[in-house]
Amino acid sequence: MVNEQEFLAGYDPRAYPAVAVTVDVVALTIRDNELQVLLIQRAAPPFAGFWALPGGFVRPEEDLGVAARREFAEETGLGGEPLRRVHFEQLASYGTPERDPRMRIFSIAYLAFAPDLPEPTAGSDAGDAQWLALTALPTRELAFDHRKIIEDGIERARSKLEYTPLATRFVGEEFTIADLRAVYETVWGHPLHAGNFHRKVLSVPGLVEGTGATTEHGGPRGGPRARLYRAGDARLLHPALLRPAREETVR
Amino acid sequence: MVNEQEFLAGYDPRAYPAVAVTVDVVALTIRDNELQVLLIQRAAPPFAGFWALPGGFVRPEEDLGVAARREFAEETGLGGEPLRRVHFEQLASYGTPERDPRMRIFSIAYLAFAPDLPEPTAGSDAGDAQWLALTALPTRELAFDHRKIIEDGIERARSKLEYTPLATRFVGEEFTIADLRAVYETVWGHPLHAGNFHRKVLSVPGLVEGTGATTEHGGPRGGPRARLYRAGDARLLHPALLRPAREETVR
DNA sequence: AGGGTTATTCTCAGCTTGAGTTATTCTTAG
DNA sequence: CTAAGAATAACTCAAGCTGAGAATAACCCT
């Protein structure tokens, strides 16, 4: 047994089997009223033909968050202002020795939240990138431990909706309370009481601020014009917008 | 620009400058009514004489969590059942290119919560390991980005007390409600209403379960014998035990 | 013009919270 | 031995928040 000092001082890590560090991005968006995740189809082994998260090696002088944004941008063709509206945060790291059959690869996963984006095929250099609905995920063959990473990302997203204004990242610059409610219902996967949600959203300080304007028309199936809102300046929601407790998740 | 498949398939990462992956452990405990963190004093450059988190390289066939536990055990001399009572969880990863002057080192930080432990000098192989009160931290010179890592760990601990039974990890097997309250007050850094805390702890399902026994004596300055409790089987607290909102943290 | 749909506002009971109080048990100082 | 001080545990009460349901009004479509 040696301690850190001796280890760092007396040992050349280059003598170790090489390791590599990648970033993988769990990019979530809402399309067609479904939560969708960005996947690319692998062309080469291992896991050729399997679907995988966008990601790749961190470059020598590159910061982790920068690498995650770069990988996301490469696959989606997104840049400039639209890219700035996408929220990135570090999710977790994965480093089981056998997670990649070629060598020891540590992956630092990032979570990205984007408003409704176009199919990524146009303008990107990824031959086979696509948004996939979460409901279609169980039947897909996923590479490496990416299924686990996606599950972790979804759980993070669900809980972050509770106590941060993250939901506003899934909608456009201006939105209605119903738009916001649709985000919560989609991510949490069950319907909410429209009246109570409305009351709650307006009562939490800094969640949304009114623009004074309304939608041009009512909804496609009727109803009055809805008021438009912008994201407020809160970074945490107090009191939080809690999802209904499910007994199973507690124990 | 190449995508992940081409990159992984066509590029030998060994041609890159070598990178290394370490784990660092933010181990928190409560001693003398203060939140304390485990630090070791570096003997060799860089940052010789500075204090640092226990940590070291992840071994070739070693899982991340295992590496974190190993590093913690090496510094504290802890093993067996006492070590099993320590809670470990992954905190975050740090990989800024210039965070270590020698080479590109990615660090995956873990957070550990332990009940009152002895000074780590006895039985460990770390010449200069010690528990340091958080209040003494600002005047210490810390190596690398370890100050930032500790801050992230503390914030994580504070918020995990709210919605998990983590506080029971800072006390012994059996404890009184007052013991538990002391944990919350110490970690959150401000006093709580004893009566309300008592009511709340007993009303959250699965947080604690009574043992039927009481303490042998009353408190050192008087008061009746307190009932003893054990940790319950809840993994999440519903409803959560929220810390009083501080306006500054919200925006 | 009328039926169905939706945004927004109300009502109301039940629950939780913050703050304060009370009864009781125990330690310590005198 | 006794009184003062301290802490546990239980209780009260007002205020705020939640879930459920309903009312109102604006708007789409046929």
Side-chain angles (χ1 to χ4, degrees):
Chain A
M1 293 286 165
V2 293
N3 67 25
E4 190 202 38
Q5 294 91 20
E6 299 163 25
F7 208 105
L8 283 174
Y11 214 96
D12 179 4
R14 267 160 272 237
Y16 265 80
V19 302
V21 175
T22 65
V23 292
D24 286 311
V25 180
V26 180
L28 299 176
T29 195
I30 293 178
R31 295 162 53 87
D32 311 323
N33 270 326
E34 284 198 292
L35 191 55
Q36 307 204 350
V37 60
L38 184 62
L39 294 178
I40 63 174
Q41 192 166 29
R42 291 182 56 81
F47 293 104
F50 285 55
W51 294 81
L53 294 171
F57 291 106
V58 178
R59 295 182 177 169
E61 291 301 315
E62 191 178 46
D63 217 338
L64 288 170
V66 171
R69 267 165 251 260
R70 173 178 56 75
E71 294 291 346
F72 176 82
E74 284 174 10
E75 300 303 339
T76 58
L78 221 61
E81 179 57 25
L83 181 58
R84 254 190 302 281
R85 266 193 60 77
V86 179
H87 170 85
F88 282 84
E89 67 178 58
Q90 195 183 292
L91 175 58
S93 297
Y94 301 82
T96 309
E98 63 278 4
R99 63 182 293 277
D100 191 304
R102 292 162 297 183
M103 62 180 290
R104 187 76 192 265
I105 296 186
F106 296 91
S107 173
I108 296 165
Y110 274 75
L111 193 53
F113 301 96
D116 191 349
L117 293 178
E119 272 299 332
T121 42
S124 88
D125 61 7
D128 281 298
Q130 64 166 219
W131 292 103
L132 184 73
L134 251 43
T135 50
L137 210 50
T139 61
R140 286 293 170 106
E141 295 192 303
L142 292 183
F144 309 108
D145 48 4
H146 288 190
R147 190 180 302 278
K148 165 72 172 148
I149 298 178
I150 292 170
E151 284 166 6
D152 291 349
I154 291 164
E155 183 44 41
R156 170 79 68 89
R158 286 187 173 142
S159 80
K160 277 224 139 184
L161 282 197
E162 295 191 302
Y163 57 93
T164 73
L166 190 62
T168 59
R169 296 301 191 129
F170 282 109
V171 293
E173 197 87 45
E174 299 197 337
F175 52 87
T176 68
I177 303 285
D179 292 336
L180 206 56
R181 178 160 50 85
V183 171
Y184 277 90
E185 292 179 332
T186 303
V187 176
W188 285 351
H190 60 78
L192 298 174
H193 185 292
N196 292 342
F197 182 84
H198 199 278
R199 174 183 60 187
K200 177 71 183 178
V201 166
L202 295 185
S203 76
V204 174
L207 211 199
V208 300
E209 56 185 30
T211 66
T214 69
T215 51
E216 291 281 319
H217 308 286
R221 289 184 299 186
R225 302 178 181 181
R227 292 186 198 151
L228 288 171
Y229 296 85
R230 256 191 300 274
D233 62 350
R235 293 188 306 173
L236 286 175
L237 306 186
H238 267 286
L241 225 157
L242 299 174
R243 46 185 155 165
R246 289 161 305 168
E247 185 62 33
E248 330 92 65
T249 66
V250 176
R251 300 299 164 91
Chain B
M1 292 288 164
V2 294
N3 65 26
E4 190 201 36
Q5 295 89 26
E6 298 164 24
F7 208 105
L8 283 174
Y11 213 95
D12 179 4
R14 267 160 271 233
Y16 266 80
V19 301
V21 176
T22 65
V23 293
D24 286 312
V25 180
V26 180
L28 299 177
T29 196
I30 294 179
R31 294 162 55 88
D32 310 323
N33 271 326
E34 283 199 293
L35 191 55
Q36 307 203 350
V37 61
L38 184 62
L39 294 179
I40 62 174
Q41 191 165 29
R42 291 182 58 80
F47 293 104
F50 284 55
W51 293 80
L53 294 171
F57 291 105
V58 178
R59 295 182 177 169
E61 291 301 315
E62 190 177 47
D63 218 338
L64 288 170
V66 173
R69 268 165 252 260
R70 173 178 54 76
E71 294 290 347
F72 175 81
E74 285 175 10
E75 301 302 339
T76 58
L78 221 61
E81 179 57 25
L83 182 58
R84 254 191 303 280
R85 267 193 58 77
V86 179
H87 170 83
F88 281 85
E89 67 178 59
Q90 196 184 293
L91 176 58
S93 297
Y94 301 82
T96 310
E98 62 279 5
R99 65 181 292 278
D100 191 304
R102 291 162 298 184
M103 61 181 291
R104 187 78 191 265
I105 296 186
F106 297 90
S107 173
I108 297 165
Y110 274 75
L111 193 53
F113 301 96
D116 191 350
L117 293 178
E119 272 299 332
T121 42
S124 88
D125 61 8
D128 282 297
Q130 65 166 218
W131 292 104
L132 185 72
L134 251 44
T135 49
L137 209 51
T139 61
R140 287 293 169 106
E141 295 193 303
L142 292 183
F144 309 109
D145 48 4
H146 288 189
R147 191 181 302 277
K148 165 72 172 150
I149 299 178
I150 293 170
E151 283 166 6
D152 291 350
I154 292 164
E155 182 45 40
R156 170 79 68 89
R158 287 187 172 143
S159 80
K160 278 224 139 184
L161 282 197
E162 296 192 302
Y163 57 92
T164 73
L166 189 62
T168 58
R169 297 301 189 127
F170 282 109
V171 293
E173 198 88 45
E174 299 196 337
F175 51 87
T176 67
I177 303 286
D179 292 336
L180 205 56
R181 179 160 49 85
V183 171
Y184 276 89
E185 292 180 331
T186 303
V187 177
W188 284 350
H190 62 77
L192 299 174
H193 185 294
N196 291 341
F197 182 84
H198 197 278
R199 172 182 62 185
K200 177 70 182 178
V201 166
L202 294 185
S203 76
V204 174
L207 210 199
V208 299
E209 56 185 30
T211 65
T214 68
T215 50
E216 291 281 321
H217 307 285
R221 288 184 300 184
R225 301 177 182 182
R227 293 185 199 154
L228 288 171
Y229 296 85
R230 256 190 300 273
D233 62 350
R235 292 188 306 173
L236 286 175
L237 306 186
H238 268 284
L241 225 157
L242 300 175
R243 50 186 152 162
R246 288 162 304 168
E247 185 62 31
E248 331 91 66
T249 67
V250 175
R251 300 298 164 89

